[in-house]
């Protein structure tokens, strides 16, 4: 298949929307990461998404809307919390999991009785969804297991020849995928941490919010993840990766020693040292750095853990530990 590169001109967005309405796939920018969009109400489009990504089909897709009013067509008994969160955070990097209506295909939700909804904070994405006149199912537009794409060039590197078109929008300004919040249980539960923090959600709801134990204790076999996507190896660079945790000065020294050692042993080593950089900038940069390392043929990445005292740091560490396959050395 020839993958068309489209601009964000009205003519090209119209074309992209027509591709989606006709059951095809278009990668598009969002504020978090690029998404691989298809008609959420068309089971064969959902099947194509899984095929293009090489993704297991039990891992449900996020359904993107342009207007919160559309949610009523997709969900059964909308909880009161839903309206408050949609009002406060949409458009934005928060995904809400609610009960689905029968009309939402099982192919889109991986057979779950729930559906994940989000309104992205990106003008191109919103215009595309409006023009397509259908909810747009979109996982991150990477090959399954690769780091999420934060610019169109990343999408092309993974999916050229596998999808109909890529919209060449701006790089994603958030850089990590949305916070996924499950509203179907007795209390709101974060299934995936992101830049919308538990503190912000608690403030909006006036009730406590907890993390799925699969996030806080990812290595505990007892805590099976409730977001099916969390159980697969993720964000992995081709290179081997080790995370060093401890006193920042000691970490820097140990990484430098290790770098010289491994280099002497013939390895091409890359380091990921963010120092005191602002957390939102680290988040924006992280996936892109992993891809750069792979491109330059790095065999081993030595990374310094970032502090998890704040929720944004916690979200970054969630991705960093996954990328490293939980290989961590305390120093
Ligand atoms: O920022 C984002 O959310 C990006 C952009 C494109 O919007 N999308 C994204 O999609 O990251 P994806 O498919 O890569 O990740 C979706 C996550 C997975 O962990 C999946 O298991 C979970 O959301 N998820 C989707 N539907 C769910 C449901 N009904 N119940 C529980 N988890 C769900
Ligand atoms: Mg993904």
């Amino acid at each position: 298949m020839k993958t068309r590169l489209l601009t964000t001109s009205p003519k090209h967005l119209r074309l992209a929307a027509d591709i989606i309405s006709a059951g095809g796939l278009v990668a598009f920018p969002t504020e978090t990461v690029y998404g691989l969009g298809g008609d959420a109400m068309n089971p064969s489009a959902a099947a194509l998404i899984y095929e293009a990504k090489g993704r297991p089909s039990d891992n449900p897709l996020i359904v993107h809307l342009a207007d919160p009013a559309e949610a009523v067509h997709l969900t059964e008994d909308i909880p009161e919390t839903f309206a408050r969160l949609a009002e406060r955070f949409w458009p934005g990097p928060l995904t809400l999991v609610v009960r689905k209506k029968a009309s939402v295909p099982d192919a889109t939700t991986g057979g779950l009785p729930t559906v994940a909804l989000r309104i992205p904070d990106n003008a191109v994405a919103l215009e595309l969804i409006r023009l397509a006149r259908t909810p747009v199912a979109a996982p991150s537009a990477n090959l399954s297991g690769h780091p999420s794409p934060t610019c169109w060039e990343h999408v092309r590197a993974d999916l050229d020849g596998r999808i109909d078109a890529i919209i060449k929008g701006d790089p994603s300004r958030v850089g990590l995928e949305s916070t996924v919040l499950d509203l179907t249980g007795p209390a709101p539960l974060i299934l995936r941490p992101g830049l919308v923090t538990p503190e912000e959600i608690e403030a909006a709801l006036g009730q406590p919010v907890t993390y799925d134990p699969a996030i806080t204790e990812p290595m505990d076999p007892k805590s099976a993840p409730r977001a099916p996507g969390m159980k697969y190896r993720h964000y992995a660079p081709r290179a081997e990766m080790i995370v060093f945790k401890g006193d920042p000065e000691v970490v820097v020294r140990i990484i430098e020693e290790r770098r010289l050692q491994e280099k002497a042993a013939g390895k091409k080593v890359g380091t990921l040292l963010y120092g005191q950089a602002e957390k939102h900038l680290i988040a924006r940069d992280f996936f892109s750095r992993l891809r750069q390392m792979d491109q330059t043929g790095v065999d081993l990445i030595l990374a310094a853990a970032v502090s998890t005292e704040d929720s944004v740091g916690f979200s970054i560490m969630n991705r960093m530990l996954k990328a490293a396959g939980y290989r961590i050395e305390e120093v």
Side-chain angles (χ1 to χ4, degrees):
M1 170 189 302
K2 171 120 180 64
T3 300
R4 295 189 62 168
L5 290 179
L6 302 177
T7 68
T8 58
S9 72
K11 195 175 135 215
H12 277 186
L13 290 188
R14 175 79 263 167
L15 184 65
D18 289 344
I19 293 173
I20 289 177
S21 315
L25 305 186
V26 178
F28 63 96
T30 88
E31 81 281 30
T32 56
V33 300
Y34 270 65
L36 175 57
D39 181 353
M41 306 310 277
N42 177 347
S44 42
L48 285 177
I49 291 177
Y50 290 112
E51 193 183 314
K53 277 184 63 92
R55 168 163 168 162
S57 59
D58 65 343
N59 186 1
L61 306 173
I62 294 176
V63 175
H64 296 68
L65 308 174
D67 181 342
E70 293 165 48
V72 296
H73 304 301
L74 304 171
T75 69
E76 213 67 79
D77 22 276
I78 303 184
E80 194 245 327
T81 47
F82 179 89
R84 245 187 290 166
L85 294 170
E87 162 83 14
R88 165 74 179 79
F89 295 104
W90 285 354
L94 176 67
T95 294
L96 299 173
V97 175
V98 286
R99 306 219 137 260
K100 82 173 184 80
K101 275 208 157 76
S103 55
V104 181
D106 282 335
T108 299
T109 64
L112 292 177
T114 54
V115 62
L117 301 177
R118 170 166 122 78
I119 299 190
D121 187 13
N122 177 290
V124 171
L126 292 173
E127 185 60 9
L128 175 69
I129 299 163
R130 265 187 223 114
L131 290 170
R133 304 175 72 124
T134 184
V136 174
S140 50
N142 51 286
L143 283 174
S144 189
H146 284 201
S148 291
T150 54
C151 62
W152 68 265
E153 290 92 340
H154 295 163
V155 180
R156 184 173 59 179
D158 274 17
L159 298 179
D160 190 28
R162 304 173 70 93
I163 62 176
D164 295 293
I166 299 170
I167 299 177
K168 296 193 293 173
D170 293 332
S172 300
R173 67 181 164 73
V174 171
L176 297 184
E177 309 85 344
S178 60
T179 304
V180 178
L181 184 71
D182 186 353
L183 296 177
T184 64
L189 187 69
I190 295 179
L191 305 183
R192 180 174 71 185
L195 264 63
V196 171
T197 66
E199 295 81 9
E200 290 173 302
I201 298 169
E202 280 174 356
L205 291 181
Q207 75 180 101
V209 174
T210 48
Y211 283 116
D212 182 348
I215 299 172
T216 44
E217 300 140 40
M219 300 310 280
D220 182 352
K222 286 198 298 291
S223 62
R226 305 235 328 228
M230 306 295 279
K231 74 180 178 225
Y232 298 104
R233 184 172 142 85
H234 255 82
Y235 318 122
R238 193 190 47 76
E240 198 188 331
M241 180 162 165
I242 308 172
V243 178
F244 293 83
K245 195 178 160 196
D247 177 81
E249 278 174 26
V250 180
V251 165
V252 169
R253 184 168 52 74
I254 300 267
I255 286 183
E256 181 56 13
E257 280 169 21
R258 186 71 170 261
R259 187 182 72 78
L260 293 173
Q261 248 173 41
E262 298 281 356
K263 198 173 156 226
K267 281 209 178 140
K268 180 150 185 189
V269 186
T271 57
L272 210 48
L273 297 164
Y274 285 109
Q276 294 306 304
E278 212 273 312
K279 291 283 175 35
H280 290 87
L281 297 180
I282 303 177
R284 181 187 294 184
D285 181 67
F286 179 68
F287 285 137
S288 181
R289 284 291 295 282
L290 293 186
R291 281 183 181 260
Q292 274 167 19
M293 302 256 197
D294 275 351
Q295 257 179 9
T296 52
V298 166
D299 312 297
L300 176 65
I301 302 170
L302 305 175
V306 303
S307 108
T308 53
E309 271 159 31
D310 60 285
S311 300
V312 176
F314 180 79
S315 296
I316 297 164
M317 280 312 290
N318 170 266
R319 273 54 169 203
M320 193 185 278
L321 289 173
K322 277 169 186 284
Y326 297 98
R327 197 154 158 211
I328 183 156
E329 289 187 18
E330 312 251 355
V331 301

